[in-house]
Coordinates of all heavy atoms in Angstrom, one line a residue:
T4 N -18.8 -46.3 85.9 CA -18.1 -45.0 85.7 C -18.7 -43.9 86.5 O -18.0 -43.1 87.1 CB -18.1 -44.7 84.2 OG1 -17.5 -45.7 83.4 CG2 -17.3 -43.4 83.9
A5 N -20.0 -43.9 86.5 CA -20.7 -42.8 87.3 C -20.4 -43.0 88.8 O -20.2 -42.1 89.5 CB -22.2 -42.9 87.0
L6 N -20.4 -44.3 89.2 CA -20.2 -44.6 90.6 C -18.8 -44.1 91.0 O -18.5 -43.7 92.2 CB -20.4 -46.1 90.9 CG -20.4 -46.5 92.4 CD1 -21.5 -45.8 93.1 CD2 -20.6 -48.0 92.4
A7 N -17.8 -44.3 90.1 CA -16.4 -43.9 90.4 C -16.3 -42.4 90.6 O -15.4 -41.9 91.3 CB -15.5 -44.4 89.3
L8 N -17.2 -41.6 89.9 CA -17.2 -40.2 90.0 C -18.0 -39.6 91.1 O -17.9 -38.4 91.4 CB -17.7 -39.6 88.6 CG -16.8 -40.0 87.4 CD1 -17.5 -39.4 86.1 CD2 -15.4 -39.5 87.5
L9 N -18.9 -40.4 91.7 CA -19.8 -39.9 92.8 C -19.0 -39.9 94.1 O -18.0 -40.5 94.3 CB -21.0 -40.9 92.9 CG -22.2 -40.7 92.0 CD1 -23.2 -41.8 92.2 CD2 -22.8 -39.3 92.2
H10 N -19.6 -39.1 95.0 CA -19.2 -39.1 96.4 C -20.3 -39.8 97.2 O -21.3 -39.2 97.7 CB -19.0 -37.7 96.9 CG -17.8 -37.0 96.3 ND1 -16.5 -37.4 96.5 CD2 -17.8 -36.1 95.3 CE1 -15.7 -36.6 95.8 NE2 -16.5 -35.8 95.1
P11 N -20.2 -41.2 97.4 CA -21.3 -41.9 98.0 C -21.7 -41.5 99.4 O -22.8 -41.5 99.8 CB -20.8 -43.4 97.9 CG -19.3 -43.3 97.8 CD -19.1 -42.0 97.0
A12 N -20.7 -41.0 100.2 CA -21.0 -40.6 101.5 C -21.9 -39.4 101.5 O -22.8 -39.2 102.4 CB -19.7 -40.3 102.3
G13 N -21.8 -38.5 100.6 CA -22.6 -37.3 100.5 C -23.8 -37.5 99.6 O -24.7 -36.6 99.7
Q14 N -23.8 -38.5 98.8 CA -25.0 -38.7 97.9 C -25.4 -40.2 98.0 O -25.3 -40.9 97.0 CB -24.6 -38.4 96.5 CG -24.1 -36.9 96.3 CD -23.5 -36.7 94.9 OE1 -22.3 -37.1 94.7 NE2 -24.3 -36.1 94.0
P15 N -25.9 -40.6 99.1 CA -26.2 -42.0 99.3 C -27.3 -42.5 98.4 O -27.3 -43.6 97.9 CB -26.5 -42.2 100.8 CG -26.9 -40.8 101.2 CD -26.1 -39.9 100.4
A16 N -28.3 -41.7 98.2 CA -29.5 -42.1 97.3 C -29.0 -42.3 95.9 O -29.4 -43.3 95.2 CB -30.6 -41.1 97.4
A17 N -28.2 -41.3 95.4 CA -27.7 -41.4 94.0 C -26.8 -42.6 93.9 O -26.8 -43.4 92.9 CB -27.0 -40.1 93.6
A18 N -26.0 -42.8 94.9 CA -25.0 -44.0 94.9 C -25.8 -45.3 94.8 O -25.4 -46.2 94.1 CB -24.1 -43.9 96.1
A19 N -26.9 -45.4 95.6 CA -27.7 -46.6 95.6 C -28.3 -46.9 94.3 O -28.4 -48.0 93.8 CB -28.7 -46.5 96.7
A20 N -28.9 -45.8 93.7 CA -29.5 -45.9 92.4 C -28.5 -46.4 91.3 O -28.8 -47.3 90.5 CB -30.2 -44.6 92.0
V21 N -27.3 -45.8 91.3 CA -26.3 -46.1 90.3 C -25.8 -47.6 90.6 O -25.6 -48.3 89.6 CB -25.2 -45.1 90.3 CG1 -24.0 -45.6 89.4 CG2 -25.7 -43.8 89.9
T22 N -25.6 -47.9 91.8 CA -25.2 -49.3 92.2 C -26.2 -50.3 91.7 O -25.9 -51.4 91.2 CB -25.0 -49.4 93.7 OG1 -24.0 -48.5 94.1 CG2 -24.6 -50.8 94.1
A23 N -27.5 -50.0 91.9 CA -28.6 -50.9 91.5 C -28.6 -51.1 90.0 O -28.8 -52.2 89.4 CB -29.9 -50.4 91.9
L24 N -28.3 -50.0 89.2 CA -28.2 -50.1 87.8 C -27.0 -50.9 87.3 O -27.2 -51.7 86.4 CB -28.1 -48.7 87.2 CG -27.9 -48.6 85.6 CD1 -29.1 -49.2 84.9 CD2 -27.7 -47.2 85.2
A25 N -25.9 -50.8 88.0 CA -24.7 -51.6 87.7 C -25.0 -53.1 87.9 O -24.6 -53.9 87.1 CB -23.5 -51.2 88.5
G26 N -25.8 -53.4 89.0 CA -26.1 -54.8 89.3 C -27.1 -55.3 88.3 O -26.9 -56.4 87.8
V27 N -28.2 -54.6 88.1 CA -29.3 -55.2 87.3 C -28.9 -55.4 85.8 O -29.5 -56.2 85.1 CB -30.6 -54.3 87.5 CG1 -30.5 -53.1 86.6 CG2 -31.8 -55.2 87.2
S28 N -27.9 -54.6 85.4 CA -27.4 -54.7 84.0 C -26.2 -55.5 83.9 O -25.5 -55.5 82.8 CB -27.2 -53.3 83.5 OG -26.2 -52.6 84.2
T29 N -25.9 -56.4 84.9 CA -24.8 -57.3 84.7 C -24.9 -58.2 83.5 O -25.9 -58.9 83.4 CB -24.6 -58.2 86.0 OG1 -24.4 -57.3 87.1 CG2 -23.5 -59.2 85.9
P30 N -24.0 -58.2 82.6 CA -24.2 -59.0 81.4 C -24.4 -60.5 81.7 O -23.6 -61.0 82.5 CB -22.9 -58.7 80.6 CG -22.4 -57.4 81.1 CD -22.8 -57.3 82.5
P31 N -25.3 -61.1 81.1 CA -25.6 -62.5 81.4 C -24.7 -63.5 80.7 O -25.1 -64.3 79.9 CB -27.1 -62.7 80.9 CG -27.2 -61.8 79.8 CD -26.3 -60.6 80.1
L32 N -23.4 -63.3 81.0 CA -22.4 -64.1 80.2 C -22.5 -65.6 80.5 O -22.2 -66.4 79.7 CB -21.0 -63.6 80.6 CG -20.6 -62.3 79.8 CD1 -19.4 -61.7 80.4 CD2 -20.4 -62.6 78.3
E33 N -22.8 -66.0 81.8 CA -22.9 -67.4 82.1 C -24.0 -68.1 81.3 O -23.8 -69.1 80.7 CB -23.1 -67.6 83.6 CG -22.0 -67.2 84.5 CD -22.2 -67.5 85.9 OE1 -22.1 -68.7 86.3 OE2 -22.6 -66.6 86.6
A34 N -25.2 -67.4 81.2 CA -26.3 -68.0 80.4 C -25.9 -67.9 79.0 O -26.2 -68.9 78.2 CB -27.5 -67.2 80.7
A35 N -25.3 -66.8 78.5 CA -24.9 -66.7 77.1 C -24.0 -67.8 76.7 O -24.1 -68.3 75.6 CB -24.3 -65.3 76.9
L36 N -23.0 -68.2 77.6 CA -22.1 -69.2 77.2 C -22.8 -70.6 77.2 O -22.5 -71.4 76.3 CB -20.9 -69.2 78.2 CG -19.9 -70.3 78.1 CD1 -19.2 -70.1 76.7 CD2 -18.8 -70.2 79.2

């Protein structure tokens, strides 16, 4: 949601941090199943 509201071209560091958070918190559904 935050990434959708950001302007990544003007805020690349913030976009990278939010993108990393989105990736690292990917729900472990395959393992859970």
